[in-house]
Amino acid sequence: MAQSSDVKLGQLTRYIFTAPNWKRSLLLIILLGLIIDGANARAWLSLPSSGIIAFPVPAVISNYLALPEKFLFSGTIAFTIPAIAALVLTKPIIEYSGKTMTWNRSALLALACTVFGVIITLAALAVSVKLIPLLYAISLGFIFGLRLFVLVAIADYRVPKMIIPALTQSGVGVLAGMFLFSPSFGIFALVLHIVFGLGFAILIWMIERPLRKAFKIRGLAFINAFIAHMTDGSKGMEDFFREIGEEIFVPQVSFFFRREQGEQVMFTVPNLHPGPMGEIGGGNLPKILHDSFDDETLVAHGCATHDFNLVSESESNKVIDALKRSREDLTYSTGAGKSDIVSVGSVQVLCQKFGDSVLLVTTRSPHRTEDVDFSIGATIMAEGHRWFPNVAVVDAHNCMTDLSSPVLLATLTATEYQQASIDAMEKCHASPVHPFRIGVSHTRLPYSREQGFGDLGIQVMLVDVVGQRTAYVLIDGNNIAAGVREKILEHVLILVDRAEVMTTDSHVVNTITGKNPVGMHVPVSEFLPFVMQAVRAAADDLTPAETAAGTAHCEHVVVFGSNRISQLASTVNAMLVFVAPLSLAMLLLAFLLSLVAYAVMV
């Protein structure tokens, strides 16, 4: 299957990297200047005047630069000092305006600009040493434009606000050039600052235009918000999501278990997506719902793709309110049916009847399992309403090989989901009900989000119906590495008759990339004892119970919107195609204008 646009958007994360420690960048800046000093002192001082390649320098420029036949060009003065000034000044200037900047990013930007400055300046040696002042002036203009572009992207999208911090390195470089060559050097260098500054400003405008036209948002402002989120946990991105979002109305089926002893249990299946990342939007929706109720609440992953990401954490309150309403006037039953497993094609369904309602847990493992579109879940629920008033469809989300497209309606896989679920519901409808017991456990894990585990750890709901035990193992995480589910079940099924391993699909474990499944960073052999401990604890907690189910209608929930992720991804990917040629064209134009300015001053 061809990759969808949202997968391509996820793959853009390969361009994201962490800036090295500022001390390392500073050391390289200093070494670079010293190396140039040593090379220049040895090579240029030993060159006779006749050894210099002849190249006519206009008299006006010669007067500006006061360039002798032989001169000593200092790398420390021309490159190191301006870079250190930029490193030291950029962060406080930006933070004075209320934005964020780290020392590591400031140092890396200074180092990158120093490297570009050295390359452009020393390119003069290919023609004549007398061109060094001209190309050094051009390099300063380029450094200013490049810093303006980068700072607008990572710190503050408002171009006027970034002019001063962008000027720190090249501005000190102009002073260095005036010291090395002539006070009049500053006039030509400032002209080139204007040329390159305007060029990069136009490039910024051209890059932002597609997103502003399509979504009425500023692309660089969104990147600023993302950087702020990565730096200090800011939730500014939620403002952008709300701008592109739309309201939806989705059902959410929940099972309530009232027990004779111990805490009460709720198993709920939101048809909303716990994304997009970290604490942004609904990224931590499972924990938010869990902590909002006194019951031990298991929040499984329903049928929803990234289109159904909450635009902000505050939207969770609407889901909580709907769940509270669904608990009113419930009629409890003492009966539950035995669980069963039905397979059609690549899809397997673990099904069980609770009172007059049914729970379906779907998986394609060992085949890749990804988000199931809401339309598929809604179709299954509608089909099941001829037998059950409440139908909960869980996407176990338990087999990841790589980032992949969601399962969409009318595909072969969708048909298998639908047929397997219908067959499972027919079996459940015909099965008798018996008194049952429920056991529940909640085990916190000593692993971090970066290791693929969310805040809730492992929850297990164990159902005993006339001796048949079914374990619902729920891990707070975003999918499971391929093969891990099978290894877990191999051990769990020693203790119970049937089981399924699910994840909440919590995106709190994803801050940059969408690929961080359970089992990728922590071997299954390491956390398996915690799973077994949780299953045993749930078995020890078995208590006679009654069950009721309700469907909450979550209304006016603002999410990303249908196909918004695909539209956004398509726009971004189209932009990336043109960024490189546009940048090259703008640079060529700026260099051409530099030569025009050079000629005008002749």
Side-chain angles (χ1 to χ4, degrees):
M1 181 183 294
Q3 291 179 326
S4 65
S5 297
D6 53 319
V7 175
K8 293 178 182 178
L9 184 61
Q11 292 176 340
L12 297 180
T13 57
R14 66 181 181 272
Y15 298 113
I16 300 173
F17 61 92
T18 302
N21 187 278
W22 65 269
K23 295 178 183 178
R24 184 180 301 177
S25 298
L26 176 60
L27 178 62
L28 291 176
I29 289 171
I30 295 173
L31 288 177
L32 194 57
L34 293 176
I35 290 172
I36 294 173
D37 283 345
N40 287 345
R42 181 176 180 182
W44 291 351
L45 288 179
S46 64
L47 278 175
S49 299
S50 59
I52 299 176
I53 299 175
F55 190 87
V57 179
V60 175
I61 298 298
S62 296
N63 292 335
Y64 280 148
L65 307 180
L67 181 64
E69 286 293 309
K70 294 192 298 181
F71 66 97
L72 181 62
F73 181 72
S74 172
T76 297
I77 296 176
F79 301 115
T80 301
I81 293 177
I84 293 176
L87 190 161
V88 173
L89 296 174
T90 302
K91 175 179 167 64
I93 293 175
I94 289 176
E95 292 185 345
Y96 179 78
S97 64
K99 298 297 182 177
T100 60
M101 185 75 172
T102 65
W103 290 115
N104 292 344
R105 293 194 186 109
S106 179
L108 181 61
L109 178 58
L111 173 61
C113 289
T114 300
V115 172
F116 281 116
V118 169
I119 294 173
I120 295 173
T121 302
L122 298 188
L125 298 180
V127 181
S128 171
V129 71
K130 291 185 176 183
L131 286 181
I132 283 182
L134 170 62
L135 291 188
Y136 181 60
I138 291 176
S139 75
L140 294 178
F142 175 78
I143 287 174
F144 169 67
L146 179 62
R147 285 180 60 85
L148 181 65
F149 179 80
V150 173
L151 292 176
V152 164
I154 70 173
D156 191 338
Y157 68 92
R158 296 168 296 184
V159 174
K161 293 281 187 180
M162 290 296 100
I163 290 178
I164 293 178
L167 194 58
T168 52
Q169 187 164 352
S170 58
V172 175
V174 171
L175 297 178
M178 294 170 65
F179 172 78
L180 289 171
F181 310 122
S182 164
S184 302
F185 172 87
I187 299 176
F188 184 59
L190 290 177
V191 170
L192 296 187
H193 270 66
I194 295 174
V195 170
F196 279 92
L198 287 175
F200 275 94
I202 293 172
L203 178 61
I204 290 169
W205 176 82
M206 295 175 72
I207 290 175
E208 281 208 312
R209 183 167 175 78
L211 282 176
R212 290 198 75 173
K213 188 173 182 181
F215 300 99
K216 310 301 181 185
I217 62 174
R218 302 195 63 145
L220 292 176
F222 179 79
I223 295 176
N224 293 170
F226 175 76
I227 296 293
H229 167 67
M230 296 297 298
T231 303
D232 57 16
S234 168
K235 294 190 177 182
M237 285 193 294
E238 292 184 348
D239 296 333
F240 293 91
F241 296 150
R242 190 170 290 279
E243 286 185 35
I244 68 173
E246 63 182 25
E247 289 186 349
I248 62 169
F249 300 75
V250 290
Q252 178 168 337
V253 179
S254 303
F255 293 90
F256 306 95
F257 299 98
R258 189 168 61 189
R259 305 197 299 166
E260 294 181 0
Q261 297 177 352
E263 60 187 330
Q264 310 307 307
V265 181
M266 177 169 68
F267 189 103
T268 186
V269 187
N271 288 301
L272 295 165
H273 195 270
M277 69 183 80
E279 300 279 355
I280 297 297
N284 210 9
L285 180 64
K287 185 175 188 299
I288 292 172
L289 296 183
H290 173 274
D291 294 349
S292 299
F293 296 91
D294 294 331
D295 303 355
E296 180 57 37
T297 303
L298 289 81
V299 183
H301 179 39
C303 295
T305 66
H306 278 273
D307 287 339
F308 281 14
N309 281 332
L310 304 183
V311 298
S312 71
E313 184 178 313
S314 61
E315 292 298 314
S316 303
N317 295 328
K318 299 175 182 178
V319 181
I320 295 169
D321 291 341
L323 282 177
K324 289 179 178 178
R325 291 196 305 270
S326 70
R327 305 185 68 169
E328 300 173 357
D329 303 323
L330 291 176
T331 301
Y332 283 85
S333 168
T334 58
K338 289 186 175 182
S339 63
D340 207 341
I341 294 178
V342 176
S343 297
V344 173
S346 63
V347 176
Q348 176 179 294
V349 179
L350 172 64
C351 57
Q352 190 161 18
K353 179 167 64 173
F354 293 100
D356 61 355
S357 303
V358 68
L359 172 63
L360 308 173
V361 182
T362 65
T363 182
R364 295 185 70 238
S365 185
H367 300 283
R368 184 170 59 195
T369 302
E370 196 39 75
D371 294 331
V372 178
D373 190 73
F374 172 71
S375 59
I376 298 172
T379 303
I380 294 172
M381 293 167 70
E383 290 280 359
H385 285 162
R386 50 181 151 160
W387 300 301
F388 304 101
N390 302 290
V391 178
V393 184
V394 176
D395 170 15
H397 212 64
N398 56 11
C399 184
M400 169 179 272
T401 56
D402 201 351
L403 296 176
S404 58
S405 304
V407 180
L408 301 177
L409 193 66
T411 61
L412 173 61
T413 303
T415 303
E416 291 174 347
Y417 270 99
Q418 292 169 304
Q419 190 57 55
S421 298
I422 291 172
D423 292 348
M425 288 186 288
E426 283 185 318
K427 275 195 172 185
C428 284
H429 176 65
S431 67
V433 295
H434 309 275
F436 69 100
R437 296 185 296 163
I438 285 284
V440 67
S441 68
H442 190 173
T443 303
R444 306 285 181 174
L445 299 174
Y447 307 115
S448 65
R449 295 176 176 180
E450 291 74 20
Q451 293 173 297
F453 292 87
D455 304 336
L456 291 176
I458 298 173
Q459 296 170 278
V460 174
M461 184 178 77
L462 198 149
V463 182
D464 185 315
V465 180
V466 292
Q468 185 210 52
R469 293 187 174 185
T470 305
Y472 298 90
V473 180
L474 180 62
I475 302 176
D476 193 20
N478 181 3
N479 221 314
I480 299 177
V484 171
R485 172 236 186 206
E486 282 69 28
K487 292 180 181 178
I488 294 175
L489 287 182
E490 179 182 344
H491 290 79
V492 171
L493 288 175
I494 297 174
L495 304 178
V496 299
D497 300 292
R498 288 200 172 94
E500 189 56 85
V501 183
M502 306 166 284
T503 63
T504 61
D505 196 23
S506 171
H507 278 51
V508 76
V509 301
N510 306 113
T511 53
I512 295 180
T513 176
K515 186 176 181 180
N516 189 19
V518 172
M520 184 171 78
H521 297 292
V522 180
V524 62
S525 59
E526 185 174 330
F527 68 84
L528 181 60
F530 293 102
V531 177
M532 301 304 292
Q533 173 189 333
V535 174
R536 292 190 183 97
D540 293 339
D541 187 58
L542 282 170
T543 304
E546 297 177 316
T547 182
T551 300
H553 293 281
C554 304
E555 302 175 345
H556 302 286
V557 180
V558 183
V559 298
F560 279 19
S562 299
N563 300 316
R564 287 293 191 179
I565 287 294
S566 296
Q567 294 169 9
L568 181 62
S570 298
T571 303
V572 171
N573 282 299
M575 287 168 52
L576 289 177
V577 171
F578 294 102
V579 164
L582 279 176
S583 301
L584 179 60
M586 199 58 62
L587 285 177
L588 291 176
L589 178 60
F591 275 105
L592 179 61
L593 292 177
S594 300
L595 297 178
V596 171
Y598 176 93
V600 168
M601 299 181 70
V602 176

